[in-house]
């Protein structure tokens, strides 16, 4: 007879105790706890009151909880909630400027125990703001169960940033809740963009481990991505991996609502990252991408290939290759990230450059330069390196009918080498218009 009253008062006291510990304010209306029936909470509201990384404001008109009282009273490790129903939910999560002392701390163990066997959301609305990026979920309805598949529907999902604005309306899909992995699948976002599966892994939530997997049929190709976090004493460590193949840039530009659509396709791409996002210099990462038939505004290229890796504060550029009709450019090299801010002007690096450019204006346009400032043909080959504030290397160049920043000149031949603070010009021949210049010599360069 006393159990309904004990449950209602126990929930109120428990929420009050946890809210003070977490630095949030919770307001609840009437709590009904009928015997052998789910607990019903009317008008639930949660807001942050301490300085936190995110300001949270959540409100639900009605929450229904089917509690597992056996796990609650026996203090076992089982789930505390058999079923959870949330109706007419409105929330806003916004990143706030803090002084670095985040006093809000989540009880991850309790959050893990509150994962329910069954879930139903009705008219769920949530706004997430982070700097200039916003995510909006409107009129979400979903059901999920560990014994059968569920349904998902959304009135609208909105993505907004400084680069694009896109909204997906009237979405329908299926859900699955198995082994603490929540999956939404069979979701058609837009023409050419279908979600095979989106999976969130909550199995390691108690230890602040979180996983996310995405599989898309995107713009004529395939896109796969996975994100996982590991909790460490100095902060979270993120593991990110992704692959893409045969992605149409034109279809992607249209779907994302870019003001200047691009053309071509991502033939193949791979990306990996492991580390703390707050200390990128100690992270490890790799990227490989091949883009074919690229075009954007008045820029175009037949093939662009780029491969690089980051390890132990060293960036290794395996290849940067650009093929543009009769123009070819290849760059490989290494770059050591400075440990001190004062060393950014004196980095340790090595670069091998090889280029055969028949149309310098077209090549310069690809990198944003005005095409009327450059023209002619140019070939370059050589190596340049720097270490301990000393620069070395050698370079040869040959140019014909050159126009460099609207200055006409021919460069029949030029061979230069650098060692320490001395620049050696073995041979320089230039012909600006009807004039002719030829020379050789050495120049002492100032040390930075």
């Amino acid at each position: 007879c006393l159990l309904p009253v004990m449950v209602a008062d126990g929930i109120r006291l428990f929420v009050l105790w946890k809210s003070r510990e977490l630095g949030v304010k919770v307001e609840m209306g009437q709590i009904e706890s009928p015997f052998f029936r789910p607990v019903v909470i009317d008008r639930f509201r949660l807001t942050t009151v301490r300085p936190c990384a995110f300001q949270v404001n959540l409100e639900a008109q009605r929450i229904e909880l089917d509690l597992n009282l056996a796990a609650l009273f026996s203090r076992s490790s089982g789930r505390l909630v058999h079923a959870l129903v949330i109706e007419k939910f409105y929330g806003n999560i916004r990143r706030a400027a803090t002084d670095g002392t985040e006093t809000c701390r989540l009880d991850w163990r309790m959050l893990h125990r509150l994962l329910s066997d069954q879930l139903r959301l009705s008219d769920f609305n949530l706004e997430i703001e982070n700097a200039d990026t916003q995510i909006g979920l409107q009129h979400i309805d979903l059901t999920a169960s560990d014994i059968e598949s569920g349904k998902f529907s959304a009135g609208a999902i909105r993505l907004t940033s400084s680069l694009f604005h896109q909204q997906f309306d009237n979405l329908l899909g299926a859900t699955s809740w198995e082994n603490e992995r929540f999956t939404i699948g069979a979701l058609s976002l837009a023409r050419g963009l279908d979600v095979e599966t989106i999976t969130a892994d909550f199995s390691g939530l108690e230890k602040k481990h979180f996983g996310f997997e995405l599989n898309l049929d995107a713009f004529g190709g395939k896109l796969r991505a996975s994100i996982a976090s590991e909790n460490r004493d100095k902060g979270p460590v993120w593991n990110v991996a992704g692959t893409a193949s045969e992605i149409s840039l034109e279809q992607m530009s249209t779907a994302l609502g870019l003001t200047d659509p691009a053309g071509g396709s991502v033939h193949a791409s791979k990306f990996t990252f492991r580390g703390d996002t707050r200390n990128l210099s100690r992270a490890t990462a790799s990227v490989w991408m091949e883009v074919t038939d690229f075009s954007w505004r008045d820029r175009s290229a037949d093939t662009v290939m780029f491969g690089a890796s980051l390890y132990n504060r060293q960036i290794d550029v395996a290849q940067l290759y650009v093929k543009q009709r009769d123009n070819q450019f290849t760059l490989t090299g290494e770059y050591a990230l400075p440990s001190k801010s004062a060393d950014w002007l004196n980095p340790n690096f090595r670069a091998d450059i090889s280029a055969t450019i028949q149309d310098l204006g077209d090549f310069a346009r690809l990198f944003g330069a005005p095409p009327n400032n450059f023209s002619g043909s140019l070939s370059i080959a050589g190596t340049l390196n720097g270490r301990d504030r000393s620069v070395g290397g050698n370079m040869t160049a040959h140019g014909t009918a050159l126009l460099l920043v609207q200055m006409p000149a021919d460069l029949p031949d030029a061979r230069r080498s650098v060692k320490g603070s001395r620049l050696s010009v073995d041979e320089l021949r230039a012909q600006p218009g009807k004039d002719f210049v030829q020379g050789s010599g050495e120049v002492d360069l100032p040390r930075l």
Side-chain angles (χ1 to χ4, degrees):
C1 295
L2 296 177
L3 188 60
V5 178
M6 293 172 56
V7 170
D9 291 343
I11 291 177
R12 195 178 295 275
L13 291 175
F14 174 80
V15 172
L16 179 62
W17 168 52
K18 280 296 181 181
S19 63
R20 291 180 177 177
E21 179 181 311
L22 302 177
V24 299
K25 178 181 179 182
V26 177
E27 301 174 47
M28 293 185 295
Q30 183 179 358
I31 300 178
E32 302 177 4
S33 56
F35 194 56
F36 289 139
R37 295 184 62 185
V39 176
V40 177
I41 303 174
D42 291 327
R43 298 186 308 277
F44 178 91
R45 184 178 182 183
L46 182 148
T47 56
T48 52
V49 294
R50 293 182 186 174
C52 302
F54 289 88
Q55 293 297 317
V56 179
N57 188 347
L58 309 177
E59 185 174 352
Q61 181 174 328
R62 184 176 183 272
I63 297 178
E64 183 178 304
L65 298 167
D66 186 3
L67 298 176
N68 182 5
L69 297 179
L72 180 63
F73 291 128
S74 64
R75 303 181 63 85
S76 66
S77 59
R79 292 179 180 172
L80 300 180
V81 181
H82 284 307
L84 172 63
V85 178
I86 302 177
E87 298 179 356
K88 294 188 180 300
F89 177 92
Y90 298 90
N92 181 276
I93 301 176
R94 177 175 56 86
R95 176 173 285 278
T98 62
D99 58 359
T101 58
E102 301 178 7
T103 58
C104 296
R105 293 292 184 268
L106 292 178
D107 188 341
W108 296 97
R109 182 175 180 273
M110 179 57 62
L111 285 177
H112 186 248
R113 296 194 66 190
L114 288 177
L115 295 176
S116 61
D117 299 320
Q118 300 179 36
L119 173 65
R120 180 166 66 87
L121 302 181
S122 177
D123 197 7
F124 182 91
N125 303 269
L126 179 63
E127 294 284 339
I128 302 175
E129 303 177 22
N130 185 8
D132 60 348
T133 302
Q134 298 180 357
I135 301 175
L137 308 177
Q138 300 177 5
H139 306 300
I140 304 294
D141 293 323
L142 71 82
T143 60
S145 172
D146 57 356
I147 58 176
E148 61 181 0
S149 60
K151 297 180 180 180
F152 171 87
S153 66
I157 296 179
R158 185 182 70 258
L159 306 174
T160 304
S161 73
S162 58
L163 298 178
F164 63 87
H165 171 83
Q166 188 62 44
Q167 180 168 310
F168 306 104
D169 298 317
N170 302 323
L171 304 179
L172 296 175
T175 65
S176 173
W177 174 243
E178 184 178 3
N179 297 327
E180 299 184 342
R181 290 168 58 92
F182 178 69
T183 302
I184 300 177
L187 197 64
S188 180
L189 298 180
R191 183 178 180 181
L193 181 60
D194 298 322
V195 177
E196 291 185 5
T197 57
I198 299 178
T199 302
D201 188 354
F202 299 101
S203 59
L205 190 61
E206 181 176 342
K207 299 180 180 179
K208 293 193 282 189
H209 292 181
F210 180 79
F212 178 84
E213 296 178 1
L214 176 66
N215 296 287
L216 295 178
D217 287 331
F219 318 119
K222 299 287 186 180
L223 178 64
R224 304 287 184 264
S226 64
I227 303 174
S229 67
E230 301 175 9
N231 182 47
R232 299 291 178 87
D233 294 337
K234 296 182 179 181
V237 175
W238 293 92
N239 292 279
V240 183
T243 61
S245 61
E246 306 303 336
I247 304 295
S248 171
L249 296 180
E250 181 178 2
Q251 294 183 30
M252 183 174 66
S253 301
T254 302
L256 296 179
L258 298 183
T259 55
D260 296 312
S265 65
V266 179
H267 179 64
S269 178
K270 182 179 181 180
F271 174 80
T272 62
F273 173 85
R274 176 178 172 81
D276 188 349
T277 55
R278 297 171 298 181
N279 190 4
L280 296 179
S281 62
R282 297 187 179 276
T284 61
S286 65
V287 61
W288 171 263
M289 178 178 293
E290 180 181 354
V291 180
T292 58
D293 299 325
F294 171 78
S295 64
W296 182 60
R297 295 180 177 175
D298 59 346
R299 308 171 189 181
S300 62
D302 298 332
T303 303
V304 177
M305 289 191 294
F306 177 72
S309 60
L310 170 64
Y311 178 74
N312 196 23
R313 304 181 64 88
Q314 176 117 349
I315 298 177
D316 183 5
V317 180
Q319 183 183 47
L320 171 60
Y321 173 74
V322 179
K323 173 68 169 62
Q324 185 190 46
R325 287 180 286 275
D326 296 329
N327 300 330
Q328 294 190 56
F329 176 86
T330 302
L331 169 69
T332 61
E334 298 174 351
Y335 179 84
L337 295 176
S339 57
K340 301 178 181 179
S341 58
D343 294 335
W344 281 99
L345 296 177
N346 303 283
N348 296 332
F349 68 94
R350 179 188 62 81
D352 297 321
I353 303 174
S354 176
T356 302
I357 302 172
Q358 301 299 327
D359 189 343
L360 184 59
D362 197 20
F363 187 77
R365 184 189 299 113
L366 180 62
F367 295 92
N372 56 349
N373 285 359
F374 298 88
S375 66
S377 62
L378 179 67
S379 61
I380 300 175
T383 301
L384 194 63
N385 56 73
R387 182 173 294 276
D388 299 328
R389 301 192 177 188
S390 178
V391 179
N394 58 80
M395 190 79 64
T396 61
H398 178 85
T400 305
L402 291 176
L403 181 67
L404 303 176
V405 196
Q406 297 185 348
M407 296 179 59
D410 284 340
L411 190 65
D413 198 8
R415 293 193 297 272
R416 289 161 290 181
S417 62
V418 181
K419 185 175 182 181
S421 61
R422 177 163 295 184
L423 169 64
S424 299
V425 182
D426 300 329
E427 183 178 0
L428 172 65
R429 297 171 58 202
Q431 185 174 344
K434 296 182 179 181
D435 301 326
F436 180 81
V437 177
Q438 180 174 351
S440 61
E442 295 181 348
V443 178
D444 287 332
L445 302 175
R447 287 180 177 267
L448 297 178

